């Protein structure tokens, strides 16, 4: 699915250990659902961080790598430190992740801007559900470009017995289950991602996006569904 004249790449930094995060996760789900229904190039990713785990609940989707990614944004955007929920659109605009007005404004603005680096993705094979192999083609990438590729999963639910959300059953969409970055030295190539064994490909997508390593701005993005594994 090529990204043509405009796109919005929405990254939410969140945690199941944060009681102000569920409204932001609901908003991310709404953004993703509306984009799919309308066929809009809006790509949502939920990065679960690990720095709230000390409160008593270890987020099953949390990762130190996600925290490090948020730290890189804090340095680039001058946001003054880490917080959740934080939403970032196209690597350039950040705000509290539950703020519907700012989310709508940032996404609308992003969709009206041209994409400098159109990107096309295809998933060759899911390799029995353990690996996802992604072929990509990028046009006119910046000199210092990075290709980010994420596998996201919709419809995840679990009980939270401890921490700030103790006693709640949380539902999240577009949770990042696998992620990799690579220098975009070639305009076309292939990346492979190891995915969790419990990933349901029927509810999973691959989101790829080209990021300028100089200022963290995102200059191209695309998404494609993960093909179902035979027998599932």
């Amino acid at each position: 699915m090529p990204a043509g004249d405009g796109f919005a790449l929405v990254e939410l930094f969140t945690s199941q250990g944060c009681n102000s995060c569920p409204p932001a996760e609901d908003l991310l789900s709404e953004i993703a659902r509306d984009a799919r229904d309308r066929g809009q190039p809006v790509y949502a990713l939920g990065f679960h961080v690990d720095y709230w785990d000390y409160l008593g609940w270890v987020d099953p989707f949390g990762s130190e790598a996600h925290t490090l990614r948020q730290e890189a944004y804090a340095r680039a955007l001058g946001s003054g430190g880490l917080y959740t929920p934080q939403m970032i659109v196209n690597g350039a605009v950040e705000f509290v992740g539950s703020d519907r007005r700012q989310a709508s404004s940032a996404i609308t603005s992003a969709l009206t801007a041209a994409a400098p680096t159109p990107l096309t993705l295809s998933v060759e094979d899911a390799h029995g559900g353990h690996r996802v192999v992604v072929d990509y083609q990028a046009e006119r990438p910046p000199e210092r470009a990075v290709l980010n590729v994420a596998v996201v999963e919709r419809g995840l639910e679990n009980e939270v017995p401890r921490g700030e959300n103790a006693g709640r059953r949380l539902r999240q969409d577009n949770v990042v289950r696998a992620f990799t970055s690579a220098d975009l030295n070639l305009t076309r190539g292939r990346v492979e991602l190891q995915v969790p064994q419990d990933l349901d490909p029927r509810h999973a997508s691959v989101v790829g996006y080209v990021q300028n390593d100089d200022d963290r701005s995102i200059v191209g993005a695309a998404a494609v569904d993960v093909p179902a594994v035979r027998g599932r």
Side-chain angles (χ1 to χ4, degrees), residues 129-216:
H130 304 302
R131 284 192 301 146
V132 171
V133 180
V134 182
D135 291 308
Y136 67 86
Q137 181 173 343
E139 299 179 26
R140 305 181 302 277
E143 184 176 348
R144 284 171 47 81
V146 174
L147 176 69
N148 301 309
V149 182
V151 177
V152 300
E153 187 172 4
R154 303 177 295 278
L156 295 172
E157 296 187 40
N158 65 284
E159 304 286 345
V160 179
R162 296 178 299 279
E164 289 189 349
N165 288 310
R168 299 185 64 174
R169 182 172 184 82
L170 299 182
R171 184 187 189 282
Q172 295 101 24
D173 288 308
N174 284 47
V175 176
V176 175
R177 304 299 312 277
F179 185 85
T180 190
S181 296
D183 291 337
L184 195 58
N185 297 320
L186 302 174
T187 58
R188 65 174 64 216
R190 171 175 291 183
V191 296
E192 297 186 11
L193 298 93
Q194 296 289 330
V195 298
Q197 293 192 2
D198 63 348
L199 179 87
D200 187 343
R202 296 170 298 182
H203 301 135
S205 301
V206 173
V207 180
Y209 50 113
V210 179
Q211 192 155 28
N212 190 326
D213 204 32
D214 288 328
D215 62 4
R216 307 293 293 175

